[in-house]
Amino acid sequence: MRGTALAGGVAALALAVGATACTSGSGPDGDATDGKTGSTGTAAGPARPGTHTTLPEPCGAVGESLLRELLLQTADDTEGAAQETARAELPEGRASVTYDIDRRAGCQWKSSTALGSRHLTVDLERVVSYDGTVSDDDRAADLFDSRAARDGIPDELPPTTPDAPEGTPSGSADPDDGKPAGEPAGKPSGKQKDGGQDPDETASGDDKPGATAPQGAATSAPSSPAGSEPAASTDPATDPALAPRPLRDIGDAAYLNDRLVTADAGLHRDITVVFRTGNVLVTVEYNEWSNDKRRTPGSEELQEKAQKLAKQLAARLDS
């Protein structure tokens, strides 16, 4: 009886060891498994924390010399004008009201003359993702893309119009389009209003106060007769290179927007540069008001200065 019981115990032990080997052994490729179908026993780790954990104080983040250039410098580049700009009192920045300066901070400046005024706003936002699977930087990238889409910024830089070959009249016929000289080839764009005006070349809202004109539209030169040289534009904003567009060499991603706005008190051109560095979104708003509607603030100078400030802020954040 004792021999039979001992034999039975040995058999039971062998069966238990075999069952353990079946449930905890290696998979077909030699990889250890946890006994659950399709599971490798590994879990995704938390998303990487944001690049930036604090924000600089915005009113002190802009250098004094650049502030003078942005707010006080005029188109008069004579030595006397430069000395006057250097002597002028620099407007103080006014901090924006926020609830957490480590998450959102801003500053505003304003300068005024008899001809108009200039306004500058810097806004810094540190983005924090509340999704453990999405990093702060990735969340900031999504917000940047949404703002660029909202502002109608193209994905690529706009193409520039190549110069026509020398000796070719502007209204000459194209042998392939089958149309008389001076008539544009291709189908109508569908954007023209009655009377042949393109809404992209005129202020919206039938010139009502407060209407926003597309970038560079207010001083577009009238079209020249067929066969004659086109009239030179008096507004640099008509250059495609100055149209709203993505920017390079500022942070991780950047874009520029340019609007000309007509109001009862005059005209103002608004330049906006938005860029992202890590999990921080920076918005630079720079505009110039003209009390005289016959004097349109130009794009080129304002865009250059706004980009210069954006590059300085990006370098400050990345230092």
Side-chain angles (χ1 to χ4, degrees):
M1 291 294 292
R2 291 183 63 184
T4 303
L6 180 60
V10 171
L13 179 61
L15 288 174
V17 171
T20 303
C22 291
T23 58
S24 301
S26 299
D29 297 328
D31 297 332
T33 63
D34 61 359
K36 297 180 181 178
T37 304
S39 175
T40 60
T42 60
R48 188 179 62 182
T51 302
H52 303 280
T53 57
T54 60
L55 294 173
E57 196 283 307
C59 291
V62 185
E64 180 178 335
S65 60
L66 183 54
L67 272 178
R68 288 188 178 277
E69 184 178 340
L70 289 161
L71 299 172
L72 302 176
Q73 190 178 67
T74 64
D76 186 356
D77 58 359
T78 63
E79 182 178 354
Q83 292 177 352
E84 183 177 350
T85 298
R87 289 193 302 266
E89 182 178 358
L90 187 65
E92 291 187 5
R94 180 167 56 89
S96 303
V97 178
T98 62
Y99 294 102
D100 185 351
I101 59 175
D102 281 335
R103 288 288 305 278
R104 191 77 177 260
C107 194
Q108 303 170 27
W109 297 264
K110 177 183 178 181
S111 65
S112 301
T113 67
L115 298 177
S117 59
R118 287 184 177 179
H119 304 254
L120 174 65
T121 301
V122 171
D123 180 80
L124 309 173
E125 178 184 0
R126 184 173 64 87
V127 177
V128 175
S129 172
Y130 293 101
D131 185 343
T133 63
V134 179
S135 70
D136 297 343
D137 290 21
D138 289 342
R139 176 57 179 158
D142 291 340
L143 290 175
F144 175 88
D145 292 341
S146 297
R147 293 182 187 182
R150 179 197 63 193
D151 290 341
I153 305 300
D155 294 333
E156 303 292 338
L157 292 171
T160 56
T161 304
D163 296 334
E166 188 175 353
T168 303
S170 60
S172 61
D174 186 338
D176 296 328
D177 66 9
K179 295 188 177 185
E183 185 174 351
K187 296 180 180 180
S189 65
K191 296 181 179 180
Q192 290 186 341
K193 297 179 180 179
D194 294 340
Q197 279 188 314
D198 192 327
D200 289 341
E201 297 179 357
T202 57
S204 61
D206 298 327
D207 294 330
K208 294 179 181 179
T212 301
Q215 181 262 354
T219 55
S220 298
S223 57
S224 55
S228 65
E229 290 296 326
S233 170
T234 58
D235 186 357
T238 57
D239 184 349
L242 297 176
R245 62 197 183 278
L247 298 175
R248 297 171 179 158
D249 303 325
I250 301 179
D252 297 320
Y255 71 83
L256 179 147
N257 201 10
D258 185 325
R259 298 188 311 148
L260 182 66
V261 181
T262 304
D264 291 337
L267 302 172
H268 60 97
R269 184 174 294 283
D270 300 341
I271 308 296
T272 303
V273 175
V274 180
F275 72 88
R276 178 184 72 84
T277 173
N279 61 319
V280 172
L281 296 176
V282 180
T283 303
V284 174
E285 295 179 346
Y286 181 45
N287 58 69
E288 179 174 342
W289 282 74
S290 173
N291 298 333
D292 185 354
K293 292 186 178 182
R294 296 169 298 179
R295 188 181 69 86
T296 303
S299 285
E300 188 169 16
E301 177 193 0
L302 299 179
Q303 287 192 19
E304 287 179 356
K305 291 180 178 180
Q307 291 181 72
K308 187 175 181 179
L309 173 56
K311 290 180 179 179
Q312 185 182 97
L313 293 172
R316 173 73 180 268
L317 284 164
D318 293 338
S319 62

